[in-house]
Amino acid sequence: MASILESILDANQRYAQDFGEKRNLAMPPSRRFAILTCMDARLDPAKFAGLDEGDAHVVRNAGGRASEDAIRSLVISYKLLGTREWFVIHHTDCGMETFSDEIMRGLLAKSLDHAVLESNGWHDRGSGSGTSEAQYIDWLTIRHQEETIAEDIQRLRRHPLVPPWIPILGFLYDVRSGALRPVGAAISVGSAK
């Protein structure tokens, strides 16, 4: 059985053989928009949003949250690379709904090994030392998806580096159907001024 590294390198070799005209893609995204979404492996923005290479910027992190680094990427996207519209897309059944800051901090204080989600919550499987460094991180967990989408859009809208003329749209992706659903609570918050 091939290792993950070998399979990735083999796939890349096949991809590079047919790269062709993709070498001529411009740095700015051709469709002039950006997506902020979750890193969840069940989400493929290219497929659910009908994207080809070169079409859009896709910024991903745990939960698709408007973290400082996500904001940094989105600001670069519009300021230097000309995006004119942003989409914040969270999803159903998100792992960020399964824990709190306190739970994550407690798990990491116990050990740095993997934790496992059981019927009664997260449990540390490891042994050995952990660290208290997790207490200094805001893990940006999620309690209610629609409220969190609206909060993230509000954070983007209020940020002093984000111009008021960029529309910021909020959606919830359903991992069971593949459908994108607009989030009503985010519409007025994200409207361009």
Side-chain angles (χ1 to χ4, degrees):
M1 186 163 167
S3 73
I4 293 172
L5 174 60
E6 289 170 342
S7 68
I8 289 172
L9 292 176
D10 288 344
N12 178 255
Q13 185 178 28
R14 289 188 302 276
Y15 176 77
Q17 287 173 348
D18 296 325
F19 200 67
E21 291 304 311
K22 292 175 190 167
R23 71 175 145 260
N24 298 322
L25 289 172
M27 191 183 307
S30 64
R31 292 178 57 191
R32 303 284 188 221
F33 74 94
I35 294 172
L36 170 59
T37 196
C38 187
M39 67 185 195
D40 192 301
R42 296 171 292 178
L43 279 66
D44 187 341
K47 290 180 181 171
F48 73 65
L51 302 177
D52 288 323
E53 288 157 306
D55 279 352
H57 288 149
V58 178
V59 178
R60 296 181 78 158
N61 65 32
R65 301 300 311 273
S67 64
E68 284 298 312
D69 194 59
I71 293 169
R72 177 187 71 90
S73 295
L74 290 168
V75 169
I76 291 168
S77 176
Y78 95 82
K79 184 68 174 177
L80 301 180
L81 298 165
T83 57
R84 298 183 189 124
E85 196 166 2
W86 296 345
F87 293 76
V88 175
I89 303 173
H90 292 196
H91 66 93
T92 59
D93 192 33
C94 184
M96 296 301 287
E97 296 173 289
T98 66
F99 64 96
S100 65
D101 282 4
E102 293 75 28
I103 290 170
M104 187 64 155
R105 290 171 181 151
L107 290 168
L108 288 166
K110 290 178 185 169
S111 95
L112 298 181
D113 288 337
H114 295 283
V116 62
L117 182 59
E118 296 173 346
S119 60
N120 61 344
W122 285 98
H123 297 283
D124 197 279
R125 292 186 341 185
S127 60
S129 62
T131 178
S132 63
E133 287 298 311
Q135 70 182 324
Y136 302 108
I137 295 176
D138 180 354
W139 295 96
L140 299 173
T141 59
I142 296 172
R143 289 291 148 247
H144 305 286
Q145 281 290 356
E146 292 194 11
E147 291 174 17
T148 304
I149 293 168
E151 288 170 7
D152 280 348
I153 291 174
Q154 181 107 35
R155 180 153 196 253
L156 290 167
R157 179 56 66 219
R158 289 182 175 168
H159 199 283
L161 298 177
V162 175
W165 50 261
I166 290 184
I168 308 170
L169 307 166
F171 290 86
L172 187 64
Y173 174 82
D174 188 326
V175 297
R176 302 284 180 242
S177 70
L180 282 175
R181 183 173 51 81
V183 174
I187 292 173
S188 62
V189 175
S191 297
K193 310 285 187 245

